[in-house]
Short mmCIF file of all heavy atoms in Angstrom, two decimals:
data_model
loop_
_atom_site.label_atom_id
_atom_site.label_comp_id
_atom_site.label_asym_id
_atom_site.label_seq_id
_atom_site.Cartn_x
_atom_site.Cartn_y
_atom_site.Cartn_z
N GLU A 15 2.76 16.59 -1.76
CA GLU A 15 2.76 18.04 -1.88
C GLU A 15 1.87 18.74 -0.85
O GLU A 15 2.05 20.00 -0.62
CB GLU A 15 2.41 18.51 -3.26
CG GLU A 15 1.00 18.15 -3.72
CD GLU A 15 0.95 16.81 -4.42
OE1 GLU A 15 1.87 15.93 -4.21
OE2 GLU A 15 -0.01 16.53 -5.08
N TYR A 16 1.13 17.93 -0.10
CA TYR A 16 0.32 18.52 1.02
C TYR A 16 1.01 18.58 2.26
O TYR A 16 0.59 19.26 3.26
CB TYR A 16 -0.97 17.80 1.15
CG TYR A 16 -2.05 18.04 0.08
CD1 TYR A 16 -1.74 18.56 -1.13
CD2 TYR A 16 -3.37 17.65 0.38
CE1 TYR A 16 -2.65 18.71 -2.13
CE2 TYR A 16 -4.35 18.01 -0.63
CZ TYR A 16 -4.01 18.44 -1.85
OH TYR A 16 -4.94 18.68 -2.82
N LEU A 17 2.16 17.91 2.44
CA LEU A 17 2.75 17.62 3.71
C LEU A 17 4.10 18.37 3.80
O LEU A 17 4.95 18.34 2.94
CB LEU A 17 2.98 16.14 3.93
CG LEU A 17 1.74 15.32 4.10
CD1 LEU A 17 2.15 13.83 3.86
CD2 LEU A 17 1.19 15.46 5.43
N THR A 18 4.31 18.93 5.16
CA THR A 18 5.63 19.45 5.45
C THR A 18 5.94 18.88 6.86
O THR A 18 5.03 18.81 7.75
CB THR A 18 5.64 20.99 5.56
OG1 THR A 18 5.37 21.52 4.31
CG2 THR A 18 7.01 21.47 6.02
N PHE A 19 7.12 18.42 7.09
CA PHE A 19 7.42 17.79 8.41
C PHE A 19 8.47 18.73 9.09
O PHE A 19 9.39 19.28 8.53
CB PHE A 19 8.15 16.46 8.15
CG PHE A 19 7.18 15.39 7.55
CD1 PHE A 19 7.19 15.24 6.18
CD2 PHE A 19 6.28 14.76 8.34
CE1 PHE A 19 6.30 14.27 5.69
CE2 PHE A 19 5.49 13.79 7.79
CZ PHE A 19 5.45 13.48 6.45
N HIS A 20 8.20 18.84 10.40
CA HIS A 20 9.08 19.61 11.38
C HIS A 20 9.56 18.82 12.44
O HIS A 20 8.88 18.63 13.52
CB HIS A 20 8.30 20.84 11.81
CG HIS A 20 7.59 21.65 10.78
ND1 HIS A 20 8.29 22.72 10.13
CD2 HIS A 20 6.43 21.61 10.23
CE1 HIS A 20 7.50 23.25 9.32
NE2 HIS A 20 6.27 22.57 9.27
N PRO A 21 10.70 18.04 12.23
CA PRO A 21 11.15 17.06 13.22
C PRO A 21 11.68 17.75 14.56
O PRO A 21 12.30 18.81 14.46
CB PRO A 21 12.24 16.25 12.53
CG PRO A 21 12.76 17.28 11.52
CD PRO A 21 11.60 18.08 11.08
N HIS A 22 11.53 17.10 15.61
CA HIS A 22 12.15 17.35 16.88
C HIS A 22 13.20 16.34 17.09
O HIS A 22 13.28 15.36 16.41
CB HIS A 22 11.09 17.36 18.00
CG HIS A 22 11.48 18.07 19.24
ND1 HIS A 22 12.21 17.40 20.27
CD2 HIS A 22 11.29 19.36 19.64
CE1 HIS A 22 12.39 18.29 21.25
NE2 HIS A 22 11.84 19.47 20.91
N LEU A 23 14.01 16.52 18.18
CA LEU A 23 14.97 15.50 18.60
C LEU A 23 14.07 14.19 18.89
O LEU A 23 13.13 14.24 19.58
CB LEU A 23 15.71 15.88 19.85
CG LEU A 23 16.71 17.05 19.59
CD1 LEU A 23 17.34 17.43 20.92
CD2 LEU A 23 17.83 16.66 18.62
N SER A 24 14.57 13.07 18.28
CA SER A 24 13.90 11.79 18.57
C SER A 24 14.35 11.28 19.99
O SER A 24 15.36 11.60 20.51
CB SER A 24 14.19 10.79 17.53
OG SER A 24 15.56 10.40 17.69
N ALA A 25 13.52 10.39 20.62
CA ALA A 25 13.85 9.89 21.90
C ALA A 25 15.13 9.05 21.78
O ALA A 25 15.96 9.05 22.80
CB ALA A 25 12.68 9.01 22.42
N VAL A 26 15.25 8.28 20.71
CA VAL A 26 16.59 7.50 20.61
C VAL A 26 17.80 8.39 20.52
O VAL A 26 18.82 8.06 21.02
CB VAL A 26 16.48 6.59 19.29
CG1 VAL A 26 17.78 6.01 18.92
CG2 VAL A 26 15.41 5.54 19.52
N GLN A 27 17.66 9.59 19.69
CA GLN A 27 18.76 10.46 19.70
C GLN A 27 19.09 11.02 21.04
O GLN A 27 20.31 11.03 21.44
CB GLN A 27 18.41 11.60 18.75
CG GLN A 27 19.53 12.61 18.40
CD GLN A 27 19.04 13.59 17.45
OE1 GLN A 27 18.00 13.59 16.94
NE2 GLN A 27 20.03 14.48 17.00
N LEU A 28 18.05 11.36 21.78
CA LEU A 28 18.37 11.91 23.13
C LEU A 28 18.91 10.84 24.03
O LEU A 28 19.91 11.06 24.81
CB LEU A 28 17.00 12.38 23.67
CG LEU A 28 16.53 13.68 23.23
CD1 LEU A 28 15.08 13.96 23.76
CD2 LEU A 28 17.44 14.89 23.65
N ALA A 29 18.43 9.59 23.91
CA ALA A 29 18.97 8.52 24.78
C ALA A 29 20.43 8.24 24.59
O ALA A 29 21.17 8.21 25.53
CB ALA A 29 18.14 7.24 24.54
N PHE A 30 20.87 8.03 23.31
CA PHE A 30 22.29 7.84 23.16
C PHE A 30 23.15 9.02 23.50
O PHE A 30 24.27 8.81 24.02
CB PHE A 30 22.50 7.53 21.60
CG PHE A 30 22.31 6.05 21.30
CD1 PHE A 30 21.12 5.62 20.58
CD2 PHE A 30 23.14 5.07 21.69
CE1 PHE A 30 20.86 4.37 20.28
CE2 PHE A 30 22.97 3.73 21.45
CZ PHE A 30 21.81 3.36 20.69
N ASN A 31 22.64 10.26 23.36
CA ASN A 31 23.44 11.38 23.82
C ASN A 31 23.52 11.51 25.42
O ASN A 31 24.55 11.89 25.86
CB ASN A 31 22.85 12.65 23.19
CG ASN A 31 23.33 12.85 21.76
OD1 ASN A 31 24.43 13.49 21.61
ND2 ASN A 31 22.62 12.36 20.87
N ARG A 32 22.46 11.05 25.99
CA ARG A 32 22.48 11.06 27.48
C ARG A 32 23.43 9.97 27.97
O ARG A 32 24.19 10.28 28.97
CB ARG A 32 21.12 10.70 28.05
CG ARG A 32 20.02 11.70 27.80
CD ARG A 32 20.34 13.03 28.42
NE ARG A 32 19.16 13.96 28.46
CZ ARG A 32 18.95 14.90 27.52
NH1 ARG A 32 19.88 15.04 26.61
NH2 ARG A 32 17.91 15.62 27.52
N ILE A 33 23.64 8.87 27.34
CA ILE A 33 24.55 7.80 27.89
C ILE A 33 25.90 7.98 27.21
O ILE A 33 26.83 7.21 27.49
CB ILE A 33 24.00 6.41 27.69
CG1 ILE A 33 23.91 6.04 26.15
CG2 ILE A 33 22.65 6.21 28.31
CD1 ILE A 33 23.53 4.61 25.94
N LYS A 34 26.08 8.90 26.28
CA LYS A 34 27.36 9.31 25.67
C LYS A 34 27.94 8.20 24.86
O LYS A 34 29.11 7.84 25.07
CB LYS A 34 28.35 9.81 26.82
CG LYS A 34 27.79 10.97 27.66
CD LYS A 34 28.61 11.35 28.73
CE LYS A 34 27.93 12.42 29.62
NZ LYS A 34 28.75 12.76 30.83
N VAL A 35 27.07 7.68 23.95
CA VAL A 35 27.54 6.56 23.15
C VAL A 35 27.15 6.93 21.68
O VAL A 35 26.02 7.33 21.35
CB VAL A 35 26.84 5.31 23.55
CG1 VAL A 35 27.09 4.16 22.49
CG2 VAL A 35 27.28 4.81 24.90
N PRO A 36 28.10 6.87 20.73
CA PRO A 36 27.82 7.12 19.32
C PRO A 36 26.75 6.07 18.88
O PRO A 36 26.71 4.99 19.23
CB PRO A 36 29.11 6.86 18.61
CG PRO A 36 30.08 7.04 19.64
CD PRO A 36 29.56 6.64 20.94
N TRP A 37 25.83 6.61 17.97
CA TRP A 37 24.64 5.77 17.70
C TRP A 37 24.40 5.57 16.20
O TRP A 37 23.39 5.02 15.77
CB TRP A 37 23.39 6.34 18.33
CG TRP A 37 23.07 7.79 17.95
CD1 TRP A 37 23.82 8.88 18.24
CD2 TRP A 37 22.03 8.24 17.11
NE1 TRP A 37 23.16 9.99 17.72
CE2 TRP A 37 22.09 9.64 17.00
CE3 TRP A 37 20.94 7.57 16.51
CZ2 TRP A 37 21.15 10.34 16.28
CZ3 TRP A 37 19.99 8.29 15.77
CH2 TRP A 37 20.09 9.69 15.77
N GLN A 38 25.42 5.96 15.37
CA GLN A 38 25.20 5.81 13.96
C GLN A 38 25.13 4.36 13.48
O GLN A 38 24.55 4.03 12.41
CB GLN A 38 26.18 6.59 13.10
CG GLN A 38 27.63 5.95 13.16
CD GLN A 38 28.34 6.41 14.35
OE1 GLN A 38 27.95 7.25 15.16
NE2 GLN A 38 29.63 5.90 14.57
N ASP A 39 25.71 3.41 14.27
CA ASP A 39 25.72 1.98 13.93
C ASP A 39 24.78 1.10 14.75
O ASP A 39 24.80 -0.04 14.77
CB ASP A 39 27.11 1.41 14.05
CG ASP A 39 27.69 1.72 15.41
OD1 ASP A 39 27.13 2.52 16.23
OD2 ASP A 39 28.76 1.10 15.82
N ALA A 40 23.79 1.74 15.38
CA ALA A 40 22.85 1.03 16.30
C ALA A 40 21.69 0.43 15.43
O ALA A 40 21.36 0.88 14.42
CB ALA A 40 22.25 2.01 17.34
N ARG A 41 21.13 -0.66 15.98
CA ARG A 41 19.90 -1.22 15.48
C ARG A 41 18.66 -0.51 16.17
O ARG A 41 18.64 -0.46 17.45
CB ARG A 41 19.85 -2.74 15.75
CG ARG A 41 20.73 -3.64 14.82
CD ARG A 41 20.13 -3.91 13.53
NE ARG A 41 19.05 -4.88 13.60
CZ ARG A 41 19.18 -6.12 13.63
NH1 ARG A 41 20.42 -6.71 13.54
NH2 ARG A 41 18.08 -6.92 13.59
N PHE A 42 17.80 -0.01 15.31
CA PHE A 42 16.60 0.67 15.98
C PHE A 42 15.38 -0.27 15.70
O PHE A 42 15.05 -0.62 14.67
CB PHE A 42 16.40 2.02 15.18
CG PHE A 42 17.67 2.84 15.24
CD1 PHE A 42 18.21 3.21 13.93
CD2 PHE A 42 18.16 3.32 16.32
CE1 PHE A 42 19.32 3.94 13.95
CE2 PHE A 42 19.33 4.15 16.26
CZ PHE A 42 19.93 4.43 15.08
N ILE A 43 14.72 -0.55 16.83
CA ILE A 43 13.62 -1.47 16.90
C ILE A 43 12.45 -0.80 17.58
O ILE A 43 12.59 -0.29 18.78
CB ILE A 43 13.96 -2.80 17.47
CG1 ILE A 43 15.06 -3.52 16.66
CG2 ILE A 43 12.79 -3.66 17.69
CD1 ILE A 43 15.70 -4.68 17.31
N SER A 44 11.31 -0.85 17.00
CA SER A 44 10.05 -0.30 17.71
C SER A 44 9.36 -1.57 18.10
O SER A 44 8.80 -2.36 17.33
CB SER A 44 9.26 0.51 16.74
OG SER A 44 8.00 0.86 17.45
#
């Protein structure tokens, strides 16, 4: 109850949009 999150575009989201590839089925690895 102390926290509120304000997300920005993630780097992964930007990356897939830059290369014009759908990304809902991608594996995300840090």
Side-chain angles (χ1 to χ4, degrees):
E15 60 271 19
Y16 284 20
L17 294 163
T18 298
F19 296 95
H20 305 272
H22 196 273
L23 293 174
S24 71
V26 168
Q27 186 176 3
L28 284 170
F30 275 106
N31 279 272
R32 293 293 192 268
I33 67 175
K34 303 174 186 178
V35 171
W37 58 289
Q38 70 275 357
D39 55 344
R41 285 277 292 271
F42 308 115
I43 295 170
S44 176

